[in-house]
Amino acid sequence: TIASAKGNLKSNVKFGVEPEKIVSPEDYQSDFHQYWERAKKELAAVDPQFKMTLVDSLSTGTKNMYVVEMRSLGNVQVKGWYAVPKKPGKYPAILHVQGYSSFLKPEWMYGGDDMISFGLNIRGHGFSKLDIDPWPTHPYIADHIHDKEMYIYRGAYMDCRRALDFLCTRPEVDTTKLVVEGGSQGGALSAATAALNPERIKLCLPHVPFLSDFKDYFALVNWPGNEVKNYLEKNYISWDQAFYTLSYIDIKNLAHLIKCPVFMAIGLMDDVCPPHINFAFYNQVKTRKEYLVYPFSGHGVPNEYHKLKYDWIKKNLGIDK
């Protein structure tokens, strides 16, 4: 802040120096891998009850649009948008996952007709609130934070796995070319999906990823840290207990399970999901990876990124012809 005779002039400047050297050690629990294997088995025991409904008003171009309903962990209903090229054939498929509190809509999905796109609304988001909707009473991120077995993101990560189950049942999907992408919470969901489904996901594209390096995260940001703090105090839950649960969800702890190439984009001016937590995850990824920094972007990326990501997907799937 610079003082002058006419008042104060304030300017924010952020810079990064060798972000690949940011060290935030993994802190997962001794039963971490068993925890997620158990979640997968619980999901497998749930009848998915896949249901597709054509949306005529959104199927006027070169793709048909469907609403997909399915049952996920805990028999929770979740829904998504499924866009399929009308021309017969087998196509790569992109799983789009959404940001915190948002409603993922068809206009956010890939619009071309050379790939299938599936826009998932995880539990408690968009039109997937039939069975779970914590928002009216408390922050989503705090839902069952005292109980690792019931914590909402355990179910949300399994919702993404169920979406892959759906894609793998479809004859028009080339299951050797499945991609996951999203920003903020969607960045975390992308990372978790790639980590917990390494045999399926071929490319992972998180941008400005959330749900990483929680101890540092809550020390760095105001929101949603203030909401979580208030919730913990109101419900007599300690930070130690919360961090214990969050260690199972933290994408920096899941990163070592990712087997596919990763392309991460961040905003250097991001004060919601700061670069520190982005790289806490990224630097634990052991596969081929690359990142892109937008120096003047905050919690978001420029529109140009979205063309870039689809070009990157096509190049790495070998369909950029």
Side-chain angles (χ1 to χ4, degrees):
T1 301
I2 303 172
S4 71
K6 294 183 178 181
N8 293 330
L9 176 64
K10 185 176 181 180
S11 177
N12 292 323
V13 177
K14 296 187 180 181
F15 58 91
V17 178
E18 297 185 303
E20 300 96 333
K21 294 186 179 180
I22 291 174
V23 176
S24 184
E26 296 168 317
D27 57 2
Y28 56 79
Q29 309 299 322
S30 60
D31 66 340
F32 178 82
H33 296 95
Q34 294 91 330
Y35 173 85
W36 284 115
E37 288 305 311
R38 189 169 67 253
K40 292 177 186 180
K41 289 179 181 178
E42 290 175 20
L43 177 67
V46 176
D47 181 0
Q49 300 178 45
F50 297 129
K51 179 182 177 182
M52 291 174 55
T53 304
L54 181 68
V55 183
D56 291 325
S57 62
L58 298 176
S59 303
T60 56
T62 58
K63 298 172 86 172
N64 286 323
M65 180 70 73
Y66 301 85
V67 170
V68 174
E69 301 173 29
M70 53 194 175
R71 292 283 167 175
S72 183
L73 191 71
N75 203 38
V76 171
Q77 185 196 73
V78 293
K79 298 182 181 181
W81 304 99
Y82 184 56
V84 184
K86 290 181 178 179
K87 183 179 179 181
K90 283 184 107 58
Y91 295 90
I94 304 173
L95 174 62
H96 302 277
V97 281
Q98 85 237 77
Y100 192 70
S101 79
S102 68
F103 190 153
L104 197 157
K105 300 177 181 179
E107 54 264 35
W108 298 0
M109 296 158 55
Y110 177 67
D113 59 5
D114 53 352
M115 291 190 285
I116 287 169
S117 50
F118 186 23
L120 175 67
N121 279 271
I122 60 169
R123 61 188 60 204
H125 285 68
F127 50 12
S128 297
K129 294 183 177 182
L130 177 66
D131 297 319
I132 290 180
D133 184 13
W135 299 103
T137 60
H138 56 268
Y140 187 91
I141 192 174
D143 189 70
H144 287 88
I145 201 168
H146 62 287
D147 183 349
K148 68 178 183 181
E149 302 299 328
M150 295 299 295
Y151 187 48
I152 197 159
Y153 277 110
R154 183 176 189 257
Y157 286 4
M158 289 298 100
D159 295 345
C160 299
R161 182 175 174 87
R162 180 103 302 174
L164 295 180
D165 290 341
F166 168 75
L167 289 173
C168 289
T169 68
R170 301 304 307 163
E172 64 272 12
V173 172
D174 182 346
T175 58
T176 69
K177 295 178 179 178
L178 298 181
V179 178
V180 63
E181 75 84 26
S184 190
Q185 175 186 260
L189 295 172
S190 298
T193 301
L196 295 172
N197 304 274
E199 73 288 355
R200 289 172 165 175
I201 296 297
K202 301 307 176 193
L203 300 172
C204 175
L205 296 90
H207 62 273
V208 295
F210 185 31
L211 305 181
S212 174
D213 202 20
F214 285 107
K215 289 183 179 180
D216 282 353
Y217 177 72
F218 285 117
L220 289 169
V221 303
N222 179 49
W223 179 87
N226 55 343
E227 291 185 350
V228 174
K229 179 177 181 291
N230 292 337
Y231 179 84
L232 297 182
E233 290 176 352
K234 182 179 178 180
N235 292 276
Y236 305 102
I237 300 169
S238 69
W239 274 107
D240 284 345
Q241 189 174 4
F243 285 136
Y244 171 75
T245 297
L246 291 169
S247 70
Y248 291 91
I249 305 303
D250 196 327
I251 60 170
K252 82 171 182 187
N253 290 337
L254 285 158
H256 70 280
L257 297 173
I258 295 175
K259 303 301 181 187
C260 67
V262 172
F263 177 34
M264 181 181 77
I266 71 163
L268 192 61
M269 305 293 283
D270 192 343
D271 58 2
V272 177
C273 294
H276 173 85
I277 74 158
N278 306 153
F279 280 97
F281 151 73
Y282 182 88
N283 290 343
Q284 295 292 348
V285 174
K286 310 302 182 188
T287 60
R288 177 165 67 86
K289 58 186 178 179
E290 56 186 290
Y291 67 88
L292 177 63
V293 176
Y294 289 98
F296 303 107
S297 292
H299 190 56
V301 289
N303 286 335
E304 65 189 58
Y305 163 74
H306 299 292
K307 180 182 184 305
L308 186 64
K309 75 181 177 187
Y310 292 129
D311 288 345
W312 189 88
I313 288 171
K314 292 179 184 181
K315 177 181 178 181
N316 282 273
L317 290 180
I319 59 171
D320 57 339
K321 297 180 177 62

